[in-house]
């Protein structure tokens, strides 16, 4: 039986992506084959396609999706054909109608959570889980700064932080995106195209600054993010949308008030099966309770993955974007 996938044979722009027919994958001993019903689109996919992150060529693309198990390896005991599952980590290749995944990277999907929500929210939701619950444990009445508040991760973070009793100062690039972030629970919004983010943060916090800044933008916002922090505050740089942060000057951290910096990743937190299961349980609980909803702003056909990535890179998307096989 044939299937299709997106692949690239050289790094570059969206034009290097090819939609090709391939043989349906067979499971290894510790793998399951999943028929994808929905696939997540994430900025990290662009990093692999562009060459910022290395990939063995030719390569598939994508790490997140949800669907039905259609084949099981000989040594897999936790899953069976017909199971509803989701995944957010693993070998590249989620941009496909069928994908073979290590069973250790797959989680059973509760009936209350549909495939599109899972595909749109697994990687982003687990990212928010470690950001708000582990990297810095956000508590009631905390005031935090979250860049790209109307994006896929930001939309989830605003809701989850509000459920935890925190006040989110979100940054956005337009009034339309400000409205989206506000509806998702942001306390205050800053349009960084018109306002100084550090000055506005200091105004909102009466000069105190915030204990933590969550920054997925990278190079363009690094310096301003540091200026938003209070003494001994934590700078959480978890993405490179504008390019990687380079030339970090430790003296700046001292001058800013003994600041802390971390560059976390999902792989650094969900690094064991028990931790992965704990994080998924936390995410599924807030989804099932209704405290967090995953807004899907765009849906593209799998064959149009290049156009979807272009829209994401040009910041023309809101919420999450999914690909449909």
């Amino acid at each position: 039986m044939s299937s299709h996938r997106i692949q690239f044979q050289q790094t570059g722009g969206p034009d290097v992506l090819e939609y090709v027919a391939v043989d349906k994958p067979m499971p290894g001993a510790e793998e399951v084959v999943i028929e994808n019903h929905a696939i997540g689109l994430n900025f990290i996919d662009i990093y692999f396609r562009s060459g910022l992150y290395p990939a063995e060529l030719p390569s598939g693309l994508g790490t997140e999706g949800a669907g039905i198990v259609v084949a099981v390896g000989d040594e897999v005991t936790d899953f069976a054909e017909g199971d509803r599952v989701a995944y957010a980590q693993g070998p590249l290749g989620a941009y496909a109608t069928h994908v073979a995944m290590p069973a250790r990277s797959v989680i059973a999907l509760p009936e209350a959570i549909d495939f599109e929500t899972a595909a749109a929210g697994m990687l982003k939701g687990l990212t928010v889980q470690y950001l708000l619950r582990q990297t810095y444990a956000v508590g009631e009445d905390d005031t935090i700064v979250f860049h790209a508040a109307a994006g896929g991760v930001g939309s989830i973070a605003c809701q989850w932080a509000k459920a935890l009793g925190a006040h989110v100062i979100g940054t956005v690039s337009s009034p339309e995106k400000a409205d989206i972030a506000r509806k998702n629970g942001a306390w205050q919004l800053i349009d960084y195209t018109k306002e100084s983010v550090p000055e506005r943060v200091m105004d909102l916090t009466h000069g105190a600054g915030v204990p933590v800044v969550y920054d997925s933008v990278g190079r363009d916002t690094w310096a301003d993010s540091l200026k938003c922090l209070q003494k001994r505050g934590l700078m959480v740089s978890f993405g490179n949308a504008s390019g990687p942060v380079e030339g970090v000057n430790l003296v700046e951290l001292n001058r800013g008030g003994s600041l802390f910096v971390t560059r976390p990743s999902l792989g650094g937190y969900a690094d064991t099966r028990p931790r992965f299961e704990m994080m998924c349980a936390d995410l599924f609980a807030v989804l099932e309770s209704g405290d967090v909803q995953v807004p899907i702003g765009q849906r593209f056909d799998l064959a149009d993955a290049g156009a979807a990535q272009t829209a994401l890179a040009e910041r023309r998307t809101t919420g999450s974007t999914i690909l449909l096989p």
Side-chain angles (χ1 to χ4, degrees):
M1 177 180 176
S2 66
S3 61
H4 288 81
R5 77 167 188 164
I6 295 289
Q7 67 178 29
F8 60 107
Q9 302 191 55
Q10 62 185 32
T11 57
D15 57 304
V16 302
L17 299 181
E18 304 172 308
Y19 182 68
V20 298
V22 294
D23 291 335
K24 180 181 174 182
M26 299 295 292
E30 299 180 352
E31 294 181 329
V32 297
V33 174
I34 301 164
E35 180 180 329
N36 280 325
H37 284 226
I39 301 153
L41 179 80
N42 297 283
F43 234 103
I44 194 172
D45 306 339
I46 297 176
Y47 300 157
F48 282 110
R49 186 211 70 212
S50 68
L52 178 63
Y53 290 177
E56 185 176 344
L57 302 176
S59 177
L61 196 59
T63 59
E64 175 185 40
I68 298 290
V69 173
V70 294
V72 177
D74 292 340
E75 297 180 16
V76 174
T77 58
D78 293 336
F79 299 100
E81 291 184 22
D83 284 352
R84 302 173 74 254
V85 296
Y87 57 93
Q89 294 177 284
L92 296 179
Y95 285 21
T97 55
H98 301 81
V99 61
M101 288 291 297
R104 67 178 181 275
S105 299
V106 176
I107 195 79
L109 188 63
E111 288 291 338
I113 301 174
D114 62 73
F115 293 124
E116 291 194 1
T117 296
M122 277 291 291
L123 191 147
K124 299 174 186 68
L126 291 175
T127 296
V128 173
Q129 197 282 338
Y130 78 70
L131 290 174
L132 300 187
R133 306 282 278 168
Q134 299 186 71
T135 307
Y136 177 91
V138 171
E140 190 169 358
D141 294 328
D142 273 338
T143 298
I144 66 176
V145 169
F146 211 102
H147 287 290
V153 174
S155 294
I156 296 172
C158 286
Q159 297 175 72
W160 204 330
K162 183 179 180 180
L164 293 170
H167 305 290
V168 177
I169 301 173
T171 72
V172 294
S173 60
S174 70
E176 293 77 17
K177 291 190 175 183
D179 287 342
I180 291 170
R182 190 173 292 108
K183 290 177 182 177
N184 283 322
W187 171 57
Q188 298 285 343
L189 281 306
I190 302 173
D191 185 338
Y192 63 82
T193 68
K194 299 178 180 178
E195 301 177 271
S196 165
V197 173
E199 289 180 7
R200 184 66 175 139
V201 168
M202 288 302 169
D203 179 55
L204 291 168
T205 60
H206 307 289
V210 297
V212 62
V213 174
Y214 296 101
D215 190 340
S216 62
V217 179
R219 181 177 56 209
D220 290 354
T221 51
W222 169 262
D224 278 353
S225 291
L226 293 179
K227 295 175 184 176
C228 296
L229 290 166
Q230 62 190 34
K231 287 185 178 181
R232 298 176 298 281
L234 175 63
M235 168 66 178
V236 183
S237 178
F238 69 99
N240 315 295
S242 67
V245 175
E246 298 176 344
V248 176
N249 185 346
L250 295 182
V251 174
E252 292 181 2
L253 305 183
N254 174 263
R255 290 174 179 167
S258 299
L259 304 178
F260 293 86
V261 174
T262 185
R263 180 58 172 89
S265 67
L266 179 56
Y269 280 87
D271 57 340
T272 66
R273 181 68 189 185
R275 288 182 66 88
F276 175 58
E277 291 179 350
M278 176 275 293
M279 293 170 66
C280 287
D282 201 15
L283 172 61
F284 292 161
V286 295
L287 291 176
E288 290 182 288
S289 71
D291 285 340
V292 173
Q293 297 181 359
V294 181
I296 300 173
Q298 301 75 215
R299 293 172 173 82
F300 288 83
D301 289 339
L302 175 59
D304 296 327
Q309 288 194 353
T310 298
L312 180 64
E314 294 179 352
R315 301 185 183 182
R316 292 188 282 108
T317 64
T318 58
S320 296
T321 301
I322 58 172
L323 305 174
L324 300 176

